[in-house]
């Protein structure tokens, strides 16, 4: 799974593709059908790449990409994000065993499921990630 260049922006719903950089900040394009482009200034906004996001675990942090791989391996069927908290929690126990239930909230689970449903149709989802530069 090659999700390099896909980012989450604090305060903005959905996911974005990093397409460039200018004097004002980073140029992002939304991954929804509208393909809206915007400039994000890192001094006023926080941005995280999907590759760097981790989930609180009981023993150690769980990489978001590993959770996505588990969802994909289990057939890619996710519950509705509007399902009750117990349904979401049960599902998350399957795809992210050993997550810290006290620190991973239902809202976090909804966000992860929403993100998965956005990226599962992208060609990048099926490609292997390039090796990191040494």
């Amino acid at each position: 799974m090659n999700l390099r260049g896909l980012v989450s922006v604090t305060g903005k719903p959905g996911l974005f593709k990093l397409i460039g950089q200018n004097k004002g900040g980073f140029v992002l394009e939304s991954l929804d059908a509208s393909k809206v482009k915007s400039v994000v200034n890192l001094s006023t906004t926080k941005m995280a790449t999907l590759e760097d996001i981790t989930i609180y675990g009981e023993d150690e942090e769980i990489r978001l990409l590993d959770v996505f791989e588990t969802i994909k391996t289990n057939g890619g069927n996710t519950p509705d994000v509007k399902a009750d908290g117990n349904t979401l929690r049960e599902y998350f126990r399957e795809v992210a065993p050993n997550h810290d239930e006290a620190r991973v909230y239902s809202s976090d689970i909804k966000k992860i499921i929403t993100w998965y449903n956005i990226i599962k149709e992208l060609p990048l989802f099926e490609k292997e990630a390039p090796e990191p530069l040494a």
Side-chain angles (χ1 to χ4, degrees):
M1 181 178 315
N2 177 13
L3 302 180
R4 193 162 286 158
L6 298 185
V7 296
S8 167
V9 178
T10 303
K12 292 189 177 208
L15 292 172
F16 299 85
K17 181 178 178 183
L18 182 62
I19 58 173
Q21 186 175 0
N22 64 20
K23 288 188 282 187
F26 290 98
V27 180
L28 305 177
E29 179 180 78
S30 65
L31 289 180
D32 59 10
S34 63
K35 302 287 186 202
V36 174
K37 291 186 173 103
S38 58
V39 176
V40 174
N41 185 329
L42 289 182
S43 65
T44 59
T45 308
K46 290 186 179 182
M47 186 171 70
T49 64
L50 293 188
E51 289 184 329
D52 295 334
I53 294 175
T54 57
I55 299 161
Y56 293 115
E58 294 287 340
D59 302 320
E60 57 186 35
E61 293 185 343
I62 304 165
R63 291 180 51 221
L64 178 63
L65 296 184
D66 294 338
V67 174
F68 285 164
E69 281 291 344
T70 304
I71 294 171
K72 181 179 167 185
T73 305
N74 289 350
N77 298 325
T78 58
D80 187 346
V81 293
K82 294 179 182 171
D84 68 281
N86 291 333
T87 304
L88 295 173
R89 182 68 63 187
E90 284 298 319
Y91 176 74
F92 211 65
R93 285 182 187 126
E94 293 175 23
V95 297
N98 299 325
H99 72 278
D100 187 341
E101 294 193 20
R103 297 196 296 176
V104 178
Y105 303 110
S106 292
S107 59
D108 300 323
I109 297 170
K110 288 179 182 182
K111 188 182 297 186
I112 290 167
I113 291 171
T114 301
W115 288 351
Y116 177 83
N117 289 328
I118 290 171
I119 65 169
K120 71 180 180 183
E121 303 300 326
L122 298 176
L124 290 172
F125 192 68
E126 299 300 328
K127 291 183 182 175
E128 288 298 317
E131 290 297 317
L133 300 173

